[in-house]
Amino acid sequence: MTQSSLLYGVEQRGEQYSKVMRLLLVEDELEIQGFLRQSLGEAGYEIDVASDGRTASLFAGKVHYDGLIVDLGLPDQDGIDLILQLRRSGLHSPVLILSARRSVDDRVKGLEQGGDDYLTKPFAFSELLARVEALSRRSRPEAPSTKLAVGDLEVDLLSRTVKRAGQKIELQPREFRLLEFLARHAGQVVTRTMLLEGVWDYHFDPQTNVIDVHVSRLRQKIDKPFDSALIHTVRNAGYMLRAD
């Protein structure tokens, strides 16, 4: 089958399954390819399969996918290079990386270069499915609240501005994302794992003090200049944003 006829078939199926969550699986190992196509199909997903980076680029350039599953060991190019290429061409769909590369450095590189999650081989299908569903929910358009308020703290999600007691507070992008996550879970304990996943998009512990450093910086701006603290440490659990 030629590339043009294969692509035509993919586009035609897109019209038929427009209301079904649609994934692009980029995997050259036929056994894994067949297993995931069948298993994800039984879970309710429509699956297109590409066995190399060139075919994946053709599909992604013509069809909107709710998510991609990309193996790093492709026959014609490294999967990381493919992800970078797709991101630069305007792809915003979430990407789950599959790889036999298990080191922390490999996982960090994959996430930094455009991946949204990283799963090492061998894997349990139940875990892969849970991660795909989480990424799919993240890609669905919602009508979020445009403002969050905790006590005298106001977070404007549209203008990306923060005020406390009417005073504007300047935050760096990561600090704003951290505060937004805490504000969305105001009054709840937010664990380190939740912060790693929700703010840094890490699904493993990088074994650094990155959370402590950013929480400390945020406290200097949100709490220190004011009479009462909003960011509280919950011992042996995590953090909580609340107004006493």
Side-chain angles (χ1 to χ4, degrees):
M1 183 179 292
T2 65
Q3 290 281 3
S4 58
S5 61
L6 182 61
L7 182 57
Y8 175 76
V10 168
E11 291 175 318
Q12 291 298 105
R13 288 199 305 277
E15 296 178 4
Q16 179 181 1
Y17 292 97
S18 59
K19 294 183 180 181
V20 176
M21 300 298 288
R22 194 165 189 204
L23 304 176
L24 175 61
L25 171 63
V26 189
E27 170 64 67
D28 66 314
E29 292 186 39
L30 295 181
E31 184 176 352
I32 296 177
Q33 190 184 101
F35 168 71
L36 289 181
R37 183 203 288 266
Q38 178 178 341
S39 300
L40 287 168
E42 291 172 350
Y45 290 91
E46 170 64 13
I47 311 298
D48 291 330
V49 176
S51 297
D52 54 58
R54 181 171 180 271
T55 305
S57 295
L58 286 172
F59 287 2
K62 293 291 185 179
V63 178
H64 169 73
Y65 291 100
D66 299 293
L68 286 76
I69 303 173
V70 179
D71 178 49
L72 297 188
L74 300 176
D76 59 342
Q77 69 179 126
D78 189 280
I80 294 292
D81 295 333
L82 171 63
I83 294 169
L84 277 172
Q85 174 186 324
L86 293 175
R87 291 299 189 206
R88 288 168 181 164
S89 68
L91 179 84
H92 298 292
S93 303
V95 176
L96 170 61
I97 294 173
L98 290 183
S99 177
R101 306 172 193 173
R102 308 179 68 87
S103 74
V104 171
D105 288 343
D106 285 325
R107 286 179 284 175
V108 170
K109 181 181 178 181
L111 296 171
E112 289 179 341
Q113 299 300 316
D116 295 277
D117 198 357
Y118 195 109
L119 185 61
T120 56
K121 298 178 179 179
F123 55 85
F125 176 71
S126 58
E127 181 178 5
L128 180 139
L129 181 59
R131 296 192 182 204
V132 168
E133 290 176 344
L135 291 178
S136 298
R137 288 195 299 272
R138 189 184 307 176
S139 70
R140 293 170 191 163
E142 298 178 353
S145 301
T146 59
K147 291 186 179 181
L148 303 172
V150 181
D152 58 356
L153 177 71
E154 298 177 6
V155 181
D156 191 314
L157 304 179
L158 293 181
S159 64
R160 311 293 285 180
T161 57
V162 175
K163 292 182 180 180
R164 183 165 184 194
Q167 179 179 331
K168 188 173 181 179
I169 300 172
E170 297 292 339
L171 297 181
Q172 295 297 316
R174 185 72 70 178
E175 293 169 345
F176 184 92
R177 190 171 177 182
L178 174 58
L179 180 62
E180 177 187 347
F181 192 89
L182 290 170
R184 289 187 181 276
H185 297 82
Q188 305 173 23
V189 175
V190 176
T191 67
R192 295 177 64 86
T193 298
M194 291 170 65
L195 290 174
L196 286 172
E197 293 182 350
V199 179
W200 279 268
D201 291 324
Y202 288 172
H203 293 270
F204 59 94
D205 190 342
Q207 302 296 320
T208 70
N209 65 342
V210 63
I211 293 177
D212 304 311
V213 170
H214 279 80
V215 169
S216 177
R217 290 176 182 171
L218 193 58
R219 278 176 162 151
Q220 290 294 315
K221 298 179 179 182
I222 296 297
D223 286 343
K224 189 173 181 180
F226 301 93
D227 294 333
S228 61
L230 293 177
I231 303 173
H232 303 269
T233 298
V234 182
R235 189 175 180 181
N236 297 324
Y239 300 96
M240 181 185 295
L241 184 70
R242 72 171 189 269
D244 291 331

